[in-house]
Amino acid sequence: MARVTVAVVAFDGVQLLDVTGPAEVFTTANLFGADYDVRIVSPDGADVRTSAGVRIGVDGGPAALPARPHTLVVPGRGDWRRAVTDRPLIALVEELVRRSRRTASVCAGAFVLAETGALDGRRAATHWRLAPQLATAYPRVRVEPDPVFVRDGDIVTSAGVTAGIDLALSLVEDDHGAGVARDVARELVVFMARPGGQSQFSARLAPREAKHPAVRRAMDAVGADPAAPHSLESLAETVGISARHLSRLFRGETGTTPGQYLESVRLEAARGLLESGADSVETVAGAAGFGSSETMRRVFQQTLGIAPTAYRARFRTTTPAKDDAVRTAITGPYQGSGPVTSK
């Protein structure tokens, strides 16, 4: 493949890793046969100060790029509202979207792309915490809150910060195949494909606050003892109204059913127990009200995309497991008497 230009947009307040993560992936790919020319540009061609306070030197403005860049990467900033009202930034991105063969965004960079209209009618991803805001601010964008990155035609959007590395690896694979992408992942000590989606990282999305006292009392009863054998009928009896009336009120007040709310509270309870304790999965399932580990596993898979055991392994501690499973997953099993290398 001929030498191709990757244009990475930088601007004051940009998240540092949104810029450097993809840039590192593309330049590392050059060690394994790729030929990416990564150029960082800013609206006025001046260096920028990132959200971390680190200054980034840039290669110039849009004139520093060829007429037809191969790939455009649009990072984001935590305060996306300031980014989308930065007219020179939006004008730069509009121009580069038109000039580039493919476009990618990282985290809140999706807001910048949406402001240009590039995401109208397209599926898109952003950080799980920002997904509702993207959907509200840009209703013509079809926001998907769980995927780490989403492809729609020649535009790829990714979730928060480190997901820009996942996105860049996928683009390297598109250009040079899985072998080169795998070499890059091993060199950078990251997963070739991140297990699961964003749901495993997100805080539980609470239902809308209920104003009706009967619904509030029902929610309080569930929250006080998630493991109790709650049913629609028992909750209705607790609050003194009919099951049918409670169900109607609950959906109108919270946007969910009593059963769905109960499951979400039990899921949150199980997550807390798995993160902080050492009890068996079966014990956690009983304590959280799931009844069996199989029921809890099914809910975890459907909601978070991973099994309870995998969730515990990822979120309980930063200390690697004794079997060093993460190293094996990234580099492959150790073979031979020499050191494990990335090649």
Side-chain angles (χ1 to χ4, degrees):
M1 185 176 179
R3 187 169 179 80
V4 295
T5 300
V6 177
V8 183
V9 176
F11 50 94
D12 283 332
V14 71
Q15 294 193 147
L16 177 62
L17 196 56
D18 285 12
V19 175
T20 57
E24 194 69 32
V25 170
F26 288 116
T27 54
T28 301
N30 290 343
L31 300 175
F32 303 99
D35 196 6
Y36 293 109
D37 177 18
V38 179
R39 302 188 191 183
I40 300 176
V41 297
S42 64
D44 60 1
D47 295 350
V48 303
R49 183 180 290 277
T50 68
S51 60
V54 176
R55 285 193 174 275
I56 292 181
V58 307
D59 296 297
L65 300 172
R68 186 84 166 135
H70 185 274
T71 301
L72 168 65
V73 178
V74 181
R77 63 176 292 171
D79 184 359
W80 61 264
R81 292 175 181 83
R82 291 191 62 181
V84 301
T85 56
D86 183 341
R87 300 326 301 175
L89 170 62
I90 299 303
L92 171 64
V93 173
E94 283 179 330
E95 175 188 343
L96 293 182
V97 168
R98 288 193 301 269
R99 289 168 52 180
S100 302
R101 297 180 184 178
R102 67 182 178 193
T103 297
S105 70
V106 183
C107 195
F111 288 87
V112 176
L113 279 186
E115 181 66 20
T116 71
L119 296 182
D120 286 357
R122 294 181 185 262
R123 297 163 50 243
T126 188
H127 189 284
W128 60 265
R129 195 184 297 279
L130 299 177
Q133 297 175 43
L134 181 62
T136 299
Y138 300 95
R140 298 184 66 183
V141 180
R142 294 155 51 196
V143 180
E144 298 193 6
D146 185 51
V148 174
F149 61 87
V150 169
R151 297 173 181 269
D152 194 322
D154 58 357
I155 294 183
V156 191
T157 51
S158 73
V161 190
T162 59
I165 295 174
D166 300 70
L167 178 149
L169 281 170
S170 76
L171 298 181
V172 169
E173 182 173 1
D174 288 346
D175 296 340
H176 298 282
V180 172
R182 189 175 298 112
D183 285 336
V184 175
R186 288 171 171 166
E187 188 72 16
L188 298 180
V189 197
V190 297
F191 282 107
M192 174 73 164
R194 186 189 303 243
Q198 290 196 79
S199 297
Q200 62 188 297
F201 302 101
S202 65
R204 179 174 57 82
L205 298 179
R208 297 194 300 265
E209 182 179 354
K211 296 180 180 179
H212 196 285
V215 178
R216 289 204 305 270
R217 290 200 302 273
M219 295 173 77
D220 288 344
V222 169
D225 189 4
H230 299 291
S231 66
L232 177 59
E233 290 71 21
S234 67
L235 287 173
E237 183 177 352
T238 297
V239 301
I241 59 177
S242 71
R244 183 176 180 180
H245 189 35
L246 176 61
S247 182
R248 185 167 57 249
L249 283 174
F250 213 98
R251 184 176 288 279
E253 291 275 320
T254 70
T256 188
T257 68
Q260 290 168 336
Y261 178 73
L262 173 60
E263 184 175 277
S264 72
V265 172
R266 287 175 172 171
L267 176 63
E268 194 68 6
R271 288 172 68 169
L273 291 169
L274 290 170
E275 291 167 6
S276 61
D279 290 336
S280 68
V281 170
E282 190 69 41
T283 299
V284 169
F290 284 108
S292 72
S293 59
E294 177 56 30
T295 299
M296 185 171 77
R297 186 197 65 79
R298 186 172 63 252
V299 173
F300 265 69
Q301 289 285 6
Q302 291 174 346
T303 308
L304 306 182
I306 56 173
T309 50
Y311 182 87
R312 165 176 274 166
R314 292 175 198 171
F315 293 99
R316 185 180 174 196
T317 178
T318 58
T319 303
K322 290 183 179 179
D323 62 359
D324 206 9
V326 173
R327 180 196 63 78
T328 301
I330 296 171
T331 65
Y334 174 77
Q335 295 178 343
S337 58
V340 176
T341 68
S342 62
K343 299 182 182 179

